Amino acid sequence: MKRAIYPGTFDPMTYGHLDIIERAAKIFDEVTVGVLDNKEKTPLFSVEERVNILKEATKDLPNVKIESFGGLLSEYCKAQDIHIAIRGLRAITDFEYEFQMSMMNSKLSHNELETVYLNTTLKYSYLSSSSVKQIAQFGGELEDFVPKSVAEMLYERLYKK
Ligand code: ADP
């Protein structure tokens, strides 16, 4: 059985992330979305909120599960016996960071963790969690980028009327 992890901060999940999850779920037998609980970062949404948003959005995908994890991805994958990490690439600018991280994960896992990249879908190529947060600050439209319930949470936290 081919199992893979899609790790990220998902602060919050966007339709760009969801698109990668749906496509990965067609390629792999089981996809774990690993929500990073990083105490050094201060995300807008708590790890529980980020997990719940993803659970709701993927509830019709039977081979996708949502988990949070802390610490090194390589250690988590070793403990879970997962050997494939999925990452999304939007543009060449993503590549350098992703390349560095995949090399590091490969080294830390003693070549037990392979990174697989999925290209973004064109219509989501400019979409990121930070851009939706910026749009929300100014009360801009979010319906093409995140589910309605997520847009409401974003406005509630960020939009100062
Ligand atoms: P991180 O903080 O770990 O970079 P993110 O939550 O921002 O995590 O993103 C997780 C993964 O999803 C990354 O590989 C990122 O490149 C990818 N990703 C984010 N937005 C998109 C998008 N619109 N299209 C394709 N991949 C994306």
Side-chain angles (χ1 to χ4, degrees):
M1 182 156 107
K2 281 263 175 283
R3 298 164 70 225
I5 185 164
Y6 178 35
T9 313
F10 305 105
D11 186 42
M13 179 210 79
T14 68
Y15 286 145
H17 294 127
L18 189 58
D19 175 62
I20 298 281
I21 296 169
E22 285 168 349
R23 288 160 54 207
K26 288 184 193 154
I27 302 172
F28 300 100
D29 298 309
E30 187 182 276
V31 176
T32 299
V33 181
V35 181
L36 189 61
D37 187 6
N38 184 347
K39 304 279 183 242
E40 271 149 39
K41 273 194 182 176
T42 40
L44 181 63
F45 295 100
S46 70
V47 69
E48 291 78 19
E49 287 170 319
R50 287 179 278 139
V51 163
N52 287 338
I53 291 167
L54 279 152
K55 279 191 174 162
E56 176 61 28
T58 58
K59 62 175 192 272
D60 296 327
L61 299 171
N63 61 336
V64 172
K65 56 181 190 167
I66 316 297
E67 303 283 351
S68 64
F69 76 100
L72 288 173
L73 177 67
S74 53
E75 291 298 318
Y76 180 74
C77 288
K78 189 176 172 191
Q80 300 293 319
D81 199 24
I82 296 176
H83 302 280
I84 302 164
I86 302 157
R87 296 286 288 177
L89 285 179
R90 278 160 296 191
I92 306 289
T93 44
D94 276 346
F95 184 75
E96 194 162 345
Y97 170 71
E98 294 292 342
F99 184 72
Q100 212 174 40
M101 221 165 48
S102 87
M103 292 294 153
M104 195 52 94
N105 282 329
S106 195
K107 166 86 182 147
L108 291 172
S109 68
H110 307 283
N111 299 329
E112 289 288 326
L113 185 61
E114 208 56 80
T115 303
V116 171
Y117 298 108
L118 292 184
N119 285 328
T120 184
T121 299
L122 188 60
K123 66 175 172 175
Y124 299 130
S125 57
Y126 55 89
L127 184 52
S128 66
S129 298
S130 23
S131 66
V132 297
K133 284 183 271 195
Q134 265 169 4
I135 296 166
Q137 263 181 347
F138 301 106
E141 290 223 355
L142 290 173
E143 65 180 28
D144 289 344
F145 308 140
V146 292
K148 203 168 171 212
S149 55
V150 178
E152 277 160 15
M153 290 165 89
L154 281 162
Y155 291 136
E156 203 175 290
R157 263 164 235 209
L158 296 171
Y159 185 34
K160 311 272 181 290
K161 278 168 242 183

